[in-house]
Amino acid sequence: MTPSTSASRTAATDLPDADHAHAPRPHLWLREGLTGLELAHTALSRRFLAGLPSGDGHPVLVLPGFLAGASSTNVLRAFLRTKGYRVFDWGQGRNMGVRPGLRGRLAERLDHVTDRTGEPMSIVGWSAGGIYAREIARDNPDRVRSVITMGTPMRGNLRATSAWPAYTLLNRGRNAVDLTPEVLGSRAAPLSMPTTCIYSRYDGIVAWELCTSLPAPTTENVEVRSTHLGFGHHRATLAVVADRLAQPVGAWQPYRG
């Protein structure tokens, strides 16, 4: 069966209960095996991809998910280059979760890119990479133009992910501060700049409810039918990303699909 290419926006009134979410069921874990089919479908969709909107060439920083590195975002970054953007990897190697000084190094990366290009950037974060994307943007609102997250757990029961055991094992002793009520409340707060939160009910790694944001004037939740491992190359996701990045500054409109 060919993966769906459609995407839809979720109204704020339909916001799901993330506090009582559960980790994805086993049948969704198995569905993650379709990510290769999703990649193949995208590779065969050149005409569709070529018809997606191009942008104004502003810089875009791309952050990978937990346990992933630059190679995981190759398709996404290559696609964005074809749309005219100046694209940058996060420059931190493999994402191993909480590490001393990482937030500061990412802020330095943001400074480097914006100083080099002379204009605010957009940030695209996949899964746990989206957590860093949001917090960097929150700390630097004058340097960030927009934020897009893909399958990023940002609120609710953050243990409702299949990756939680591996995360706690690799970040033993480092993640306690990240789970205090104060930090969790701050992390869930919407951003001041345009923000698009892409989620999928077919996500086999992160409970989809966690990936939806609380409402705000320029914040939206957009649903696609992707696996978690396919967010970075599923053609529906690429369509949403292209549409959102192509919006002129100060002219934000909700995604219409």
Side-chain angles (χ1 to χ4, degrees):
M1 178 174 153
T2 302
S4 171
T5 59
S6 64
S8 61
R9 187 169 182 268
T10 300
T13 53
D14 297 329
L15 197 66
D17 179 4
D19 291 331
H20 299 96
H22 298 283
R25 304 303 184 190
H27 73 279
L28 291 177
W29 307 345
L30 296 175
R31 197 177 185 277
E32 290 296 319
L34 291 176
T35 185
L37 179 59
E38 292 169 329
L39 177 59
H41 191 215
T42 297
L44 295 172
S45 302
R46 293 181 181 178
R47 181 176 298 181
F48 171 82
L49 297 177
L52 296 176
S54 295
D56 58 6
H58 74 270
V60 179
L61 181 66
V62 180
L63 282 65
F66 179 53
L67 298 181
S71 62
S72 69
T73 63
N74 280 344
V75 172
L76 175 59
R77 287 185 287 121
F79 167 72
L80 293 177
R81 291 190 184 98
T82 69
K83 297 303 176 183
Y85 298 101
R86 285 168 286 178
V87 186
F88 300 85
D89 172 53
W90 78 324
Q92 304 298 317
R94 189 175 296 276
N95 185 345
M96 301 300 290
V98 180
R99 289 294 181 270
L102 178 57
R103 191 162 172 172
R105 292 194 298 274
L106 287 175
E108 292 174 359
R109 180 66 166 162
L110 184 149
D111 290 343
H112 170 75
V113 172
T114 54
D115 289 345
R116 176 177 167 181
T117 61
E119 57 184 318
M121 66 165 59
S122 290
I123 309 179
V124 181
W126 187 349
S127 193
I131 296 174
Y132 285 113
R134 288 172 59 85
E135 296 314 303
I136 296 169
R138 201 185 305 279
D139 291 343
N140 301 273
D142 57 330
R143 291 182 175 243
V144 178
R145 169 170 165 168
S146 66
V147 174
I148 300 174
T149 60
M150 307 182 299
T152 295
M154 66 189 74
R155 67 182 186 91
N157 177 21
L158 298 186
R159 293 177 174 81
T161 79
S162 302
W164 183 255
Y167 180 86
T168 54
L169 177 64
L170 291 174
N171 293 278
R172 189 174 301 157
R174 298 188 182 97
N175 65 327
V177 67
D178 280 356
L179 298 178
T180 62
E182 294 77 15
V183 169
L184 292 179
S186 173
R187 183 183 294 178
L191 302 174
S192 61
M193 66 284 298
T195 306
T196 298
C197 306
I198 302 174
Y199 70 95
S200 171
R201 295 172 195 261
Y202 295 92
D203 191 321
I205 305 297
V206 179
W208 68 271
E209 297 92 338
L210 278 55
C211 306
T212 58
S213 174
L214 298 172
T218 58
T219 293
E220 62 187 346
N221 300 313
V222 178
E223 180 179 3
V224 299
R225 297 184 65 182
S226 169
T227 62
H228 187 86
L229 298 178
F231 275 122
H233 55 251
H234 194 290
R235 74 177 223 166
T237 306
L238 298 182
V240 175
V241 172
D243 181 272
R244 301 290 79 194
L245 291 180
Q247 294 183 107
V249 174
W252 185 88
Q253 293 292 325
Y255 181 73
R256 304 198 184 281

